[in-house]
Amino acid sequence: MLNVNELEVKKGDKVLPAWKKLVSWIRRSKVITGPGIRLSFTPQGVVAVVNREESPWKHPWKCSVGDTAYVRPGTVEGVVASMMDDNTKTLRRLDERDKDGNKTDDGPPRLKINFKKHDDEGKFYIWLNAEISDSGTLDNTVEGAVTVTQERIKRKKGQPLAVVYLDESRTSVVETFQIAHHNYKVQLQTTDTAGINRQLFLPE
């Protein structure tokens, strides 16, 4: 580590020792690149280009959670999920379209977060639910066949989209850990002799 004060030369001091320290430090230093940093080596020197506005992967189910949750559109068996919108108090599609597929002017739905709905560790889940018939197929004949909700703990049916951690006072979000990144297809799997089925969500 270079101490810049060692490079300061007062009147009457020799310049060469400070200069040697500076050259030695430069030779020891390495340029470490990170996301958005590109190096080009030229005869005149190294050119560093920094791009701080990288385009994130706009994957399905991306969750942004505060007092409300926004979820990027995603599908199960091709059916777009819906969520209870805090503004309209109705079930609305994540892709901002009505039941006929027409674009609305209401903006994306917002899920109101209940800060009392968490486990003992102060976390909860943004959860994907699917209505599966006894034959093992998605029952898309009912409204809300695929929905997104807030759940206190993991459920036996459905798929977690994200786990959300609260602060110690349980009044605000400190971290959202994204779990799901793909649209899904779903299957039923029998887990015991009693014929209990569980839902398997597989990336599509």
Side-chain angles (χ1 to χ4, degrees):
M1 190 71 180
L2 177 68
N3 185 350
V4 178
N5 294 329
E6 295 179 6
L7 300 181
E8 292 184 1
V9 180
K10 298 182 179 66
K11 188 175 181 180
D13 289 346
K14 293 183 178 180
V15 175
L16 188 57
W19 176 255
K20 286 182 178 179
K21 286 181 182 178
L22 177 61
V23 171
S24 175
W25 174 76
I26 292 172
R27 285 176 176 163
R28 288 193 319 267
S29 297
K30 294 181 179 179
V31 178
I32 301 174
T33 61
I37 300 175
R38 185 174 70 254
L39 298 180
S40 299
F41 296 89
T42 71
Q44 290 76 31
V46 179
V47 178
V49 178
V50 180
N51 177 16
R52 292 299 184 194
E53 296 185 3
E54 290 188 284
S55 298
W57 176 33
K58 294 184 178 180
H59 61 78
W61 312 119
K62 172 66 176 175
C63 299
S64 301
V65 187
D67 291 340
T68 55
Y70 293 90
V71 181
R72 192 183 299 280
T75 63
V76 176
E77 302 287 350
V79 176
V80 178
S82 299
M83 191 165 67
M84 184 58 68
D85 183 23
D86 184 50
N87 285 334
T88 63
K89 309 301 181 189
T90 60
L91 203 60
R92 294 185 51 226
R93 283 173 43 162
L94 298 181
D95 61 359
E96 304 175 45
R97 295 181 182 274
D98 62 23
K99 62 182 181 179
D100 297 320
N102 299 314
K103 193 78 170 176
T104 67
D105 296 325
D106 298 326
R110 306 187 310 175
L111 177 67
K112 180 70 173 176
I113 296 301
N114 181 353
F115 286 96
K116 294 181 179 179
K117 195 174 185 179
H118 57 76
D119 65 12
D120 294 339
E121 297 178 0
K123 70 178 186 295
F124 62 84
Y125 295 88
I126 302 299
W127 199 263
L128 175 62
N129 311 278
E131 294 292 332
I132 307 300
S133 66
D134 293 336
S135 63
T137 58
L138 181 70
D139 187 3
N140 56 8
T141 61
V142 298
E143 184 182 7
V146 181
T147 58
V148 173
T149 57
Q150 176 190 357
E151 299 297 333
R152 188 177 72 84
I153 57 175
K154 284 186 175 181
R155 300 172 55 200
K156 292 182 178 179
K157 292 185 177 180
Q159 166 73 22
L161 299 178
V163 58
V164 181
Y165 296 89
L166 301 178
D167 63 3
E168 291 185 4
S169 67
R170 309 302 192 238
T171 57
S172 63
V173 172
V174 293
E175 183 182 8
T176 300
F177 180 78
Q178 187 72 32
I179 297 172
H181 296 87
H182 302 278
N183 293 315
Y184 287 110
K185 55 186 177 181
V186 66
Q187 295 178 358
L188 283 186
Q189 182 184 57
T190 302
T191 58
D192 57 30
T193 55
I196 303 299
N197 292 328
R198 68 172 181 153
Q199 297 174 353
L200 294 180
F201 286 79
L202 306 173
E204 190 172 45

